[in-house]
Each structure stands twice: as structure tokens, then as C-alpha cells.
Amino acid sequence: QQQVKQSPQSLIVQKGGISIINCAYENTAFDYFPWYQQFPGKGPALLIAIRPDVSEKKEGRFTISFNKSAKQFSLHIMDSQPGDSATYFCAASKLNAGNMLTFGGGTRLMVKP
Amino acid sequence: GAVVSQHPSRVICKSGTSVKIECRSLDFQATTMFWYRQFPKKSLMLMATSNEGSKATYEQGVEKDKFLINHASLTLSTLTVTSAHPEDSSFYICSASLAGRPNEQFFGPGTRLTVL
């Protein structure tokens, strides 16, 4: 059972454009929603994370939007740059569950110059 | 802070040999360490969870005798792939969590294993 569904699988955006990646979850017990960025041959790095008590969190060009009723959250990358080209994973976890993360399938983002 | 290292970054071995991968938390004591496997263009697949001084908890379908995990200290966990075969070739990634930072995991840079 895939508990976190991520879309699209791949995304091509022009430099300066907005990249939007969406995730939907099923388990209402999830209470932590991080996004990870992974470059080829490297481990994932935490980009930004949100908890369900807020609907939006912004850090620089990266924004998470969270819709608790719809059980959806999304990552927006403003002013996308070629250096943002990477694979992005959303994830979810629940407190007191041993810090285990459930990952989405990933989105390969390519930002064209 | 919260840096995790892995060694080696790449390893090539012959079929039938065993390979050990180390995962270290460099600037913190890890309450829990996790081992993932990642196939090309795929998501991370959790293999096992380990706590210092106790046996690892393996995910369904992961052979515990094939993938031996030892978590001897609060800063070191090792994954040994025993009697490796070409189908074990993959990207192995560890992560660690620490007390006071609930839910968060800090990932290592990964180890590329190629079995010939």
C-alpha cells in the first residue's frame, strides 16, 4: 500500500519559472511532512518540512503548502534555477513511530536554462 | 550540525564475497539509524531500523541473514552484505535520528555497491 503518492514523476521547467510538486497521503496520523532534495549519486538532503498546525511554510524560494482536509501537500520552487535540477521526494511520518519516514515515489525536476 | 558519513562511497566486489558499509553520525549521538536501498530512478526503500545495542528490525522481504546490521555504538552502524550477488548491486543509504529532533532523519551520502 503506497501511503504517500507523489506527482508528477518528472517535470521540466524553464529557468525563472515555478516548479510545483504534489503529494497526497492516506494516514491521518501523519504529523510531519518533509521534502528532500537528492542529486545523482548523493544522499537525500532535507529541504523544508511542515507540521499540520500550519498551512504554509516558506524558506527562501521554497514553499510548502499543506491542506489537511484534502490530505495533500505540495512543494513550490519559485524562480527555478538550473541548479535546482534534482530529484525531489516528499515524505511523511508520525510522532512516536520511531522516526520512520514514508517516502513518495520522487519527482525528477529539470530546469532548462 | 547533524552530519552523517558513510564509508566507502563506492565499492566493487566479486560475487560471493562480503562487503561492509559503515555509517557514522559525526557530531551527534544517534538514537536510531536506518538503512535504505535505492534502485536507479526509484524511491528509497527502508531495509531496517537499528538502535544501539539491540537487534535490528528488518522490513518485510529483507533477508536478515543476507544483510547483517550491527549497531555497536551511538555513532556507528554497519551493514554487511554477505555472499554478495549481482542483484545486490544498488545504492545503499543510511540515516540517523537524534533525541530532541522528533521525526527528523539525517542522511548519509550513500554507498554505491557493484557486484561483478
Side-chain angles (χ1 to χ4, degrees):
Chain A
Q1 181 187 9
Q2 185 180 1
Q3 294 193 52
V4 180
K5 294 183 179 180
Q6 185 171 345
S7 63
Q9 287 187 323
S10 62
L11 181 61
I12 300 175
V13 174
Q14 289 294 129
K15 178 182 176 182
I18 303 174
S19 304
I20 302 174
I21 305 171
N22 301 299
C23 282
Y25 63 97
E26 298 171 8
N27 190 339
T28 56
F30 286 144
D31 59 0
Y32 176 72
F33 304 89
W35 285 90
Y36 287 87
Q37 179 188 56
Q38 185 181 29
F39 293 104
K42 304 294 183 183
L46 179 64
L47 199 57
I48 186 172
I50 197 169
R51 296 192 185 274
D53 53 343
V54 296
S55 60
E56 186 175 281
K57 183 175 181 180
K58 184 176 181 180
E59 290 184 1
R61 297 185 294 111
F62 302 93
T63 300
I64 297 180
S65 296
F66 183 78
N67 186 327
K68 188 174 182 178
S69 61
K71 293 187 288 184
Q72 296 175 346
F73 59 109
S74 61
L75 175 69
H76 290 62
I77 305 175
M78 312 300 288
D79 187 26
S80 299
Q81 299 297 311
D84 297 330
S85 297
T87 299
Y88 293 81
F89 293 98
C90 64
S93 73
K94 49 186 177 179
L95 199 60
N96 299 325
N99 291 339
M100 291 181 64
L101 290 169
T102 299
F103 281 90
T107 297
R108 298 183 72 193
L109 171 65
M110 179 185 293
V111 181
K112 289 193 170 183
Chain B
V3 179
V4 176
S5 71
Q6 278 184 244
H7 179 81
S9 58
R10 290 176 177 269
V11 56
I12 301 173
C13 69
K14 292 182 179 180
S15 184
T17 61
S18 295
V19 174
K20 180 184 286 187
I21 302 170
E22 291 186 349
C23 176
R24 293 180 184 273
S25 56
L26 298 185
D27 52 0
F28 66 98
Q29 292 186 326
T31 52
T32 306
M33 286 185 167
F34 305 83
W35 286 96
Y36 294 86
R37 184 173 181 177
Q38 187 177 35
F39 291 102
K41 299 182 182 180
K42 297 295 184 182
S43 188
L44 286 76
M45 181 185 76
L46 180 65
M47 299 175 66
T49 303
S50 73
N51 295 288
E52 183 261 341
S54 59
K55 289 184 177 180
T57 301
Y58 290 81
E59 294 298 299
Q60 190 174 8
V62 178
E63 300 175 59
K64 61 177 70 176
D65 295 329
K66 173 77 171 175
F67 300 98
L68 299 178
I69 292 173
N70 182 278
H71 196 156
S73 76
L74 285 171
T75 60
L76 174 64
S77 176
T78 59
L79 168 67
T80 301
V81 183
T82 62
S83 186
H85 287 93
E87 57 266 29
D88 299 324
S89 298
S90 191
F91 193 52
Y92 293 88
I93 308 172
C94 73
S95 70
S97 61
L98 67 156
R101 301 280 290 269
N103 300 102
E104 294 185 59
Q105 289 185 27
F106 302 92
F107 286 83
T111 297
R112 173 73 60 191
L113 170 64
T114 303
V115 185
L116 302 177

